[in-house]
Amino acid sequence: MPDSSFVGSSQKNATTKRDVKQVPFVELYNHRVQGVVSSGSDIERVYVSFFEAGTLDFYCSTNNNRPCGGLGGYPCKHLQAVMKEAIAAYGIDQVINYLKVPGDLSQITSLNDIINRRGTVKKEPASEVFSRFLNYLRYLELQTANSPLPEMSWFV
Amino acid sequence: MAFPGALHQISESNQEIFELIASLDECFITGFANLDEQHLQTLQALERVFTGTPLQSSLSESTQAISTNEFVDKHFAVIATVRAAIQGALFDTLQAQVRSLLGRAAIAEVELKDEAEEPPNNVKVLLASVRHWLMEIALVGYARLDIATLVPFLGTLEQIQAEPLLVRQAALLTGYFNELMRNLPVADSAAIPKYRWVDLWTQAMLGTVRPAILPQSLSISGNLEILGLDLRQHANLVSFTAYGLLNANNQTQLVRVNQSAYKVDAINNEQIWLLFANADILFDAFAQNRVLQIKDVPLLPNGDLLWQGQGELGENYNLIKRAAEFFAENTGHSLIYSTVAASDRHPIQIAEPIYLSNYQVVKNDENIVLSWGDAGELSIAKERISSLSELNLDIIAKSQQIFGLLRFDAGKWSVQPLAVAVKNKITSTGQTAASVIAKKDSIKNSVVGILQERSSRLLRKG
Ligand SMILES: [Zn+2]
């Protein structure tokens, strides 16, 4: 018998509801969990935050590369929000897996379990994550079509 | 035994074809730069199969080149064409089989007249770089491929997404790219969905050699009755095909209306319909089972309407009754069928409309099966039912009548319901779209609205 054209699991959407208002963008990309958090006080400002896979080092800054004021030696509320949304979008197993969180995996079942295994502050420019975000938003502005797309038969 | 019992006999020659594809696909796992003796024998077997066909000489030239490590992208385009030709032949035999069992006449080939104009130069350049990228993937092989090989393609992909002439390539390449990025590098090459991934590669390669400009259309006016919607999506694009009966020029013909929208992964619930606000009249017509009167809409030779959102609501029609009239087994009603272009033929594209009734529902592990006792049975093609559809297995299990599409996958026939009747109540994919769009206030606080606001604030400043 030939194989199926479909893979069940990889196409399923995560079931938990996302909070896009607070965290418009989150992704697992380039060995990081990274995302963008809208500022509560200034609608022109966003925070750009990431955790690095393996070390769980982290950083948070504004889109203009100013360090986040809430960032001590501990992940700020933006970093926590990004992690929470990553879990909502991808499921905790995939996040733990992608981040290669150290330690006994059976003991890691919540957001706090991951945060408790954090690394240290790692200052890196926000521009790469921010441009990923702008690129993400660009999808909503792209022109679409009324012509047939038979290729979409592969994507359910 | 006729339909559906006789449907499930797969001929021996088809079995052999499936095996040939499977051994060709092994080359894509290993990578064409690392082929061993057995892989080379597969390529030779392929050459023998194509002896006497128009592809004979280019295939033999390509296998010769690849066997001697001379890697040029045109040879890989030939490999793609050959693999697609095999799938096309499968499509033809499977479609002929199902149509003859249903008492339907063979579909005549339609003639496609290409527009005289050439695609612009930037399109040719982009397609050439796609071909090159695809060759790289084929050379490395899925077992060894890592994301470093993929990432540089992102710039090309963005340009393709911005070029309306390349919307087919963009839809496919975006989904393929995402899927590879998510799954590479593979830990276990035995777990690679090789048939799927080589299919996606093949389709992408075909997209670089097929004309980028649509064939000539003719303008048509008439009454359209939508019978069902097939909804498909990946993280960055959602697309539906509406199947309908078009009554025009004293004839009835099966047509398709296609609409697509780019999106982001966070838009993954009923808000998807907000992306199709321009198609609201079609959703209204469908939700109310009223005819959509259309005027001067271009119709492609294969039966695709290039509809742009215009129309007026007309009289009511009875969806299930119309489906029964035209798509029951051995119905006498004649109809002009929509077709699949030769270069797109692949078993995955078989979508034979069918009306089913008088079945028993049998629950079977995680699926349900429609049974007609001695006359045979059909499973539900649940892999084709979108997670965004209003339909689910529970509703289907309670149904007495189904309008859907006969599908073929993994060597098996099944039915993808588009609309089902539970007593007199009809549930169908896309049925709630009109009401989602009508709640205009909801867009502001929807994911779509929030991201559009973020986009207008931040995008042009980035
Ligand atoms: Zn912060």
Side-chain angles (χ1 to χ4, degrees), chain B residues 76-147:
Chain B
F76 289 88
V78 171
I79 297 290
T81 309
V82 161
R83 193 173 178 282
I86 299 173
Q87 303 278 29
L90 274 171
F91 173 102
D92 287 342
T93 57
L94 291 165
Q95 191 182 53
Q97 181 205 4
V98 72
R99 288 187 64 87
S100 100
L101 282 174
L102 288 170
R104 296 179 188 173
I107 297 177
E109 290 289 337
V110 294
E111 205 185 325
L112 302 183
K113 281 202 198 80
D114 286 328
E115 297 283 353
E117 45 182 322
E118 278 268 295
N121 223 17
N122 75 310
V123 164
K124 290 187 199 158
V125 172
L126 287 171
L127 293 178
S129 78
V130 174
R131 246 188 332 268
H132 190 81
W133 181 68
L134 292 169
M135 179 175 77
E136 295 276 294
I137 290 176
L139 287 177
V140 176
Y142 287 125
R144 265 172 267 220
L145 197 63
D146 60 20
I147 60 173

Side-chain angles (χ1 to χ4, degrees), chain A residues 112-130:
Chain A
N112 278 339
D113 294 338
I114 301 177
I115 301 282
N116 287 340
R117 287 164 175 79
R118 69 190 174 273
T120 55
V121 173
K122 182 174 186 181
K123 191 172 186 315
E124 280 197 10
S127 53
E128 194 213 328
V129 185
F130 191 63

Side-chain angles (χ1 to χ4, degrees), chain B residues 154-167:
Chain B
L154 203 51
T156 307
L157 182 58
E158 284 167 17
Q159 291 179 58
I160 291 172
Q161 289 163 346
E163 171 52 66
L165 279 178
L166 296 179
V167 61

Side-chain angles (χ1 to χ4, degrees), chain A residues 47-49 59-61 68-71 76-79:
Chain A
Y47 289 87
V48 177
S49 315
Y59 193 56
C60 178
S61 60
C68 167
L71 195 66
C76 60
K77 62 178 183 183
H78 309 117
L79 275 156

Side-chain angles (χ1 to χ4, degrees), chain B residues 31-37 39-41 43-44 47 59-72 75-76 79 139:
Chain B
F32 282 83
N34 318 297
L35 298 186
D36 63 24
E37 196 45 48
H39 297 125
L40 295 175
Q41 281 174 18
L43 295 180
Q44 284 153 15
E47 265 186 75
L59 177 59
S60 116
E61 192 192 327
S62 297
T63 53
Q64 187 64 38
I66 289 169
S67 312
T68 53
N69 291 345
E70 185 203 325
F71 302 125
V72 186
H75 298 316
F76 289 88
I79 297 290
L139 287 177

